[in-house]
Amino acid sequence: MALPLRYNVRSVLIRWRSTLSTIFGIGLVVAVYIMMQSLAVGLEKSSANTGDPRNLLLVRKGSTAETSSQVTREQFKLLQYLPDIEKDEKGEPLISADTLILISLPRKGAAGEANILVRGVSKVGMQLRPQVRLTQGRMFEGGRREVVVSQKLAERFDNLGIGESFKTGGHQLQVVGWFDGNKSAFDSEIWMDSDDARSLFDRENYSSVLLRSDPTQWGALTNRVESDKRLSLSVIPETKYYSNQTATATPIRFLGNFLATAMSVGAIFAAMNTMYASVGARTREVGTLRVLGFRRRAILIGFLLEGAILAFLGGLIGCLLSLPINHYSTGTLNFQTFSEVVFEFNITPHLILKGLVFAVSVGLIGSLMPAIRASRLPVIASLKSL
Amino acid sequence: MQTNDLSVPLVAENSSEPSIVQIKELSKIYRQGEINVTALNRISLSIARREFLTLMGPSGSGKSTLLHIIAGIDRPTSGHCIVQGVEVTQLSESELADWRNQNVGFVFQTFNLLPVLTAFENVELPLLLTRLTSKQRKKQVLTALELVGLADRTSHLPRQLSGGQEQRVAIARALVTDPQLIVADEPTGNLDSTSAHEVLDILRSLCNDAGKTVIMVTHDPKAAAFGSRNVHLEKGELAP
Ligand SMILES: Nc1ncnc2c1ncn2[C@@H]1O[C@H](COP(=O)(O)OP(=O)(O)O)[C@@H](O)[C@H]1O
Ligand SMILES: [Mg+2]
């Protein structure tokens, strides 16, 4: 038979003065944990939001990233006549060749420079990426050295406002519009006309090819491409390509887990200290409960529960502390393209739950030894304590 | 688990068994390094049902030790202690816990109410270990609190009560499971004389009107006068 829950809850609350620092300590650990995890979630989401399940991406055999791939104009011409590509209303095949260029731009607030991907893209290329929407200004026009920029990127870098211009590779580029990539990887890109990009940056070849095809035809199409000696390209579903890039979230997750683990050791000791003090101060109470007929196990569970309640309160505080960062956007380096990736902290209900479970675990581990001590107190000795 | 209902008149069972407590050759020796402290030395004692036994003696004479063994809180070094036909010394730790819950009510000198629980909740505690429904528990708690004259203090916390009221709540907690045996270790030791008188009156009426057996340790001859029999302990032995 267990002690009444209200007894444990009130026992924690009545000692709030001595438990407050422990509760806040646990809250801090949980906040760090949630923030780091939400960073990883946001980064993963940016990859997950990117691909269209009907699209195939073609890159040079052996390339793991679009930036390190090349597709010649002859190869692109051959691809256009493949039979399994879907057509638009006008009967044109939904296939587009992109050119990717890495440029360096100054961050806002004189915080140095960072690499950014410029994507030379065609009208069809935009059609294939419907998650990208123009939010302000207008779309670029070919031949006029105009670009549209991700709005999130514009918030983080100099000279990307509409009407502003920036210089790269000896050319002045004019920003005419902002787009929103709906949390996809395109939120980290600058887009311009495909032919403009190739001529301005002196590129003979394209970087990659994106096409739409019915997934049931993917097998045949892949066979055709990969067996053609003239092509030597590999075919990857677009979603898979971007989810492979998620590897960049792994170090963040790792760092987050490492930090949380290191900090939780401190929190566990704080909880242990608090609970030992509580047991010490309530020795006679424990003796009384035993005299009334409560068993050792009831005492053990009672103190474990108090540790859990304490930590749960800390967990709630941690969640509150971390919430303001939700949807705050930030950047990191994509280690495959070496360009800046912009994404949002993303606190999901699942993460909140994980944070609370994490907190309660800290409380349970921290209160284990004190609870065992309380349950083993000899009745007579504890009755004599003051 | 017991399901006695306090609303039924509190009358001792009719038993052919003459005494509720039988103590034979009971010894308790504390070993402190090289020295042995004999707290109880081969004590034999019988306590009849409905008796109000008072235990007196100088400090350190073993009164509390004896009371603790009778109440199943402590174990003797040797000897027998049979309470209501049960050899208490033979019970395991968890059997003892259940046995205490059902058979003994303990009243402490320092009241020992749980500070975060109200008077009602404190009295209800021992009943949480029974199979009673919350409705049955409520009825029994209120009956017990009425019996000690505190029906109007149910939602008070211990710190909102006077010492005498706290001790009366503690008595209500001791009798709420309707045990046959109530043991009290200097229950008036921390009380002024008026409160002490109230507490002693209640203990006496538990014995006389409710048919309980009460064993009370006291220093105070005036308190001892409330008992029906007085026993003296001296250096762990019964004084004649
Ligand atoms: N845990 C203990 N260890 C050693 N000696 C003890 C312990 N508890 C009680 N004693 C000794 O046993 C004797 C009887 O103690 P107690 O029963 O508390 O006396 P009383 O209640 O009559 O004052 C005393 O001499 C006391 O010092
Ligand atoms: Mg004593």
Side-chain angles (χ1 to χ4, degrees):
Chain A
M1 284 288 178
L3 288 160
L5 185 63
R6 58 175 181 266
Y7 164 69
N8 299 119
V9 173
R10 285 183 213 162
S11 295
V12 171
L13 295 182
I14 202 161
R15 299 171 57 78
W16 65 271
R17 251 180 266 270
S18 53
T19 52
L20 207 59
S21 60
T22 302
I23 290 179
F24 264 101
I26 292 171
L28 216 60
V29 178
V30 170
V32 167
Y33 174 78
I34 290 180
M35 286 181 198
M36 295 300 283
Q37 296 299 319
S38 72
L39 210 62
V41 168
L43 195 55
E44 278 164 8
K45 204 165 203 162
S46 100
S47 309
N49 268 19
T50 306
D52 186 306
R54 298 163 297 175
N55 290 353
L56 287 175
L57 186 75
L58 283 71
V59 291
R60 188 179 62 188
K61 254 195 186 117
S63 287
T64 52
E66 279 181 287
T67 43
S68 59
S69 157
Q70 285 198 23
V71 180
T72 63
R73 294 204 307 214
E74 290 70 34
Q75 287 173 330
F76 181 51
K77 272 200 193 101
L78 286 170
L79 289 169
Q80 279 177 308
Y81 300 108
L82 286 174
D84 302 316
I85 302 174
E86 284 184 22
K87 308 271 194 307
D88 66 6
E89 312 88 72
K90 286 179 241 150
E92 294 292 321
L94 287 170
I95 180 166
S96 160
D98 288 0
T99 310
L100 283 128
I101 301 108
L102 217 50
I103 65 168
S104 185
L105 284 180
R107 282 208 176 93
K108 271 211 165 104
E113 301 208 331
N115 288 332
I116 296 181
L117 273 182
V118 173
R119 182 181 295 273
V121 67
S122 65
K123 287 258 152 55
V124 177
M126 286 183 244
Q127 237 177 304
L128 288 171
R129 297 178 176 94
Q131 69 268 55
V132 177
R133 281 182 312 106
L134 199 70
T135 51
Q136 276 186 61
R138 60 173 173 82
M139 200 29 91
F140 56 77
E141 273 174 41
R144 294 174 59 169
R145 299 186 177 184
E146 290 174 350
V147 298
V148 292
V149 177
S150 144
Q151 190 168 340
K152 289 215 175 89
L153 213 54
E155 286 160 8
R156 299 172 55 80
F157 286 85
D158 274 338
N159 308 323
L160 296 186
I162 294 172
E164 292 185 310
S165 65
F166 60 92
K167 200 169 177 178
T168 182
H171 307 287
Q172 201 76 20
L173 294 177
Q174 180 85 20
V175 179
V176 296
W178 280 357
F179 67 82
D180 173 29
N182 192 23
K183 293 176 189 158
S184 69
F186 304 123
D187 270 335
S188 312
E189 295 183 352
I190 294 176
W191 283 11
M192 66 187 295
D193 179 77
S194 187
D195 296 328
D196 265 17
R198 285 192 307 121
S199 70
L200 277 181
F201 295 100
D202 251 344
R203 295 292 177 92
E204 182 65 24
N205 298 326
Y206 300 106
S207 302
S208 65
V209 170
L210 189 68
L211 62 83
R212 182 157 302 167
S213 163
D214 193 308
T216 57
Q217 308 302 318
W218 283 7
L221 194 145
T222 305
N223 259 338
R224 208 161 288 168
V225 171
E226 292 187 347
S227 61
D228 192 327
K229 290 247 158 48
R230 294 168 297 175
L231 290 174
S232 86
L233 298 170
S234 48
V235 182
I236 323 163
E238 192 191 16
T239 50
K240 191 168 169 226
Y241 171 80
Y242 284 102
S243 72
N244 284 347
Q245 303 242 320
T246 312
T248 43
T250 308
I252 291 182
R253 240 177 229 287
F254 181 79
L255 183 67
N257 285 336
F258 176 78
L259 260 180
T261 308
M263 288 178 73
S264 68
V265 171
I268 285 171
F269 276 104
M272 195 186 291
N273 232 353
T274 304
M275 290 308 294
Y276 267 133
S278 181
V279 171
R282 286 156 63 201
T283 301
R284 196 135 57 87
E285 233 171 279
V286 171
T288 306
L289 288 167
R290 295 285 306 283
V291 170
L292 294 181
F294 287 93
R295 296 192 182 185
R296 291 185 168 192
R297 194 180 314 158
I299 306 293
L300 179 83
I301 292 170
F303 277 99
L304 282 178
L305 212 58
E306 287 185 28
I309 293 167
L310 186 99
F312 184 77
L313 293 177
L316 285 182
I317 288 178
C319 291
L320 288 180
L321 285 178
S322 63
L323 270 184
I325 210 161
N326 198 13
H327 296 310
Y328 177 85
S329 62
T330 184
T332 185
L333 192 68
N334 179 330
F335 290 100
Q336 257 144 6
T337 59
F338 291 101
S339 63
E340 177 102 344
V341 183
V342 180
F343 60 97
E344 285 182 356
F345 282 83
N346 206 313
I347 299 179
T348 57
H350 179 237
L351 253 189
I352 296 277
L353 191 72
K354 268 171 90 173
L356 290 176
V357 169
F358 179 70
V360 169
S361 316
V362 164
L364 285 176
I365 296 169
S367 57
L368 186 62
M369 301 298 290
I372 288 174
R373 176 187 284 185
S375 73
R376 291 198 179 154
L377 285 171
V379 181
I380 297 294
S382 46
L383 285 176
K384 282 178 184 161
S385 100
L386 292 174
Chain B
M1 297 286 162
Q2 65 135 32
T3 50
N4 295 3
D5 190 334
L6 257 192
S7 59
V8 178
L10 298 162
V11 178
E13 305 160 31
N14 273 331
S15 171
S16 53
E17 183 193 319
S19 49
I20 185 167
V21 179
Q22 290 161 283
I23 291 164
K24 282 178 209 145
E25 298 279 311
L26 197 72
S27 293
K28 176 78 180 181
I29 298 159
Y30 290 104
R31 235 167 280 276
Q32 281 186 318
E34 299 291 292
I35 325 154
N36 285 348
V37 179
T38 306
L40 294 174
N41 190 14
R42 302 177 57 160
I43 283 185
S44 294
L45 176 69
S46 256
I47 303 168
R49 286 184 183 278
R50 313 188 63 158
E51 212 170 359
F52 188 165
L53 185 85
T54 54
L55 259 176
M56 291 187 77
S59 186
S61 58
K63 306 181 296 294
S64 295
T65 305
L66 180 59
L67 208 62
H68 289 150
I69 293 171
I70 295 172
I73 299 170
D74 205 354
R75 290 178 189 280
T77 311
S78 64
H80 301 279
C81 178
I82 298 161
V83 181
Q84 300 205 79
V86 175
E87 176 66 81
V88 182
T89 55
Q90 299 297 312
L91 296 179
S92 75
E93 183 83 29
S94 48
E95 285 169 335
L96 260 183
D98 292 344
W99 180 85
R100 281 196 299 268
N101 180 254
Q102 292 156 31
N103 295 283
V104 202
F106 206 105
V107 180
F108 306 88
Q109 178 177 357
T110 48
F111 324 140
N112 289 7
L113 298 178
L114 301 203
V116 296
L117 298 183
T118 64
F120 182 96
E121 290 162 345
N122 264 288
V123 176
E124 193 188 22
L125 270 180
L127 291 182
L128 296 175
L129 296 168
T130 68
R131 290 210 192 98
L132 298 183
T133 65
S134 85
K135 215 170 145 188
Q136 289 169 316
R137 289 201 302 266
K138 186 175 180 188
K139 198 167 144 199
Q140 219 153 311
V141 170
L142 292 179
T143 310
L145 279 169
E146 240 161 66
L147 219 98
V148 298
L150 288 173
D152 55 342
R153 294 286 193 280
T154 53
S155 52
H156 284 56
L157 289 170
R159 64 180 152 79
Q160 298 166 320
L161 297 171
S162 71
Q165 288 170 332
E166 275 195 79
Q167 191 61 297
R168 277 146 65 196
V169 172
I171 293 174
R173 180 178 67 185
L175 61 88
V176 75
T177 55
D178 198 19
Q180 288 309 303
L181 188 62
I182 306 273
V183 299
D185 196 349
E186 302 190 36
T188 57
N190 284 8
L191 300 179
D192 62 83
S193 60
T194 319
S195 303
H197 202 283
E198 284 171 354
V199 162
L200 291 166
D201 261 340
I202 291 169
L203 290 176
R204 184 164 58 187
S205 90
L206 281 179
C207 183
N208 291 347
D209 308 333
K212 305 290 180 199
T213 307
V214 178
I215 309 172
M216 178 177 75
V217 168
T218 183
H219 265 124
D220 179 7
K222 272 189 254 164
F226 279 75
S228 56
R229 175 157 71 119
N230 188 261
V231 171
H232 257 270
L233 266 179
E234 202 84 51
K235 289 182 181 153
E237 296 184 18
L238 288 177

